[in-house]
Amino acid sequence: MILLNASALNSFLQLMGAIVIFAFVLVITYFTTKWIGNYQQVHTTNKNLRVIESLRLTNNKFIQIVQAGDVYLVIAVGKEEVQLLTQLTKEQLTELPDFTKTQNTLSQESFQDILSKVKKHIPKK
């Protein structure tokens, strides 16, 4: 009887240890992901370079409109090459995104708001 209780206690302690280690790994993963996300957001925020629009042609080929300062360039991006196709003026573009408005709305929108928008588009069975 004592041997059975010791074995059960040992199994319970092993289970609790595994749960604590799993929770610790989850917490470390959460904070690491947050840190990497903030790091990438800070380093990808450019004032002079922006991708205005991108169109996928194949799996690894795109056509992009890139704003470099006041110049708009149309480039072809492939797996190992980038080619300049043409240069556009601001008047030739039909619609320019408002980057300041987009960044503010993304940071103010909660996960619950985004989830409710997605649920509206999912067809009900």
Side-chain angles (χ1 to χ4, degrees):
M1 188 68 144
I2 295 174
L3 187 59
L4 182 61
N5 287 340
S7 175
L9 179 63
N10 189 20
S11 295
F12 178 74
L13 289 177
Q14 284 181 352
L15 176 65
M16 293 308 291
I19 290 173
V20 167
I21 291 171
F22 180 70
F24 179 73
V25 168
L26 282 179
V27 168
I28 293 295
T29 304
Y30 172 77
F31 285 113
T32 303
T33 304
K34 264 187 97 119
W35 177 74
I36 288 173
N38 288 336
Y39 177 80
Q40 286 179 341
Q41 185 178 14
V42 167
H43 286 6
T44 58
T45 306
N46 297 325
K47 295 183 181 182
N48 293 313
L49 292 175
R50 289 193 179 113
V51 176
I52 302 297
E53 194 171 334
S54 183
L55 174 68
R56 178 186 298 251
L57 298 176
T58 63
N59 281 343
N60 58 359
K61 295 190 188 266
F62 297 88
I63 293 179
Q64 295 181 333
I65 300 175
V66 178
Q67 178 184 5
D70 293 332
V71 178
Y72 296 92
L73 305 170
V74 180
I75 58 173
V77 181
K79 185 175 180 180
E80 295 182 10
E81 72 275 351
V82 176
Q83 282 188 320
L84 176 65
L85 299 178
T86 188
Q87 185 172 338
L88 299 175
T89 63
K90 193 172 186 176
E91 293 77 27
Q92 289 175 311
L93 298 174
T94 56
E95 184 177 323
L96 284 174
D98 185 7
F99 288 103
T100 57
K101 183 179 176 184
T102 305
Q103 289 174 350
N104 290 339
T105 56
L106 286 178
S107 63
Q108 292 174 355
E109 226 173 357
S110 70
F111 178 74
Q112 188 67 31
D113 296 337
I114 296 170
L115 184 62
S116 64
K117 287 180 183 177
V118 170
K119 282 183 180 179
K120 289 178 185 176
H121 296 297
I122 296 175
K124 295 181 181 177
K125 293 182 179 180

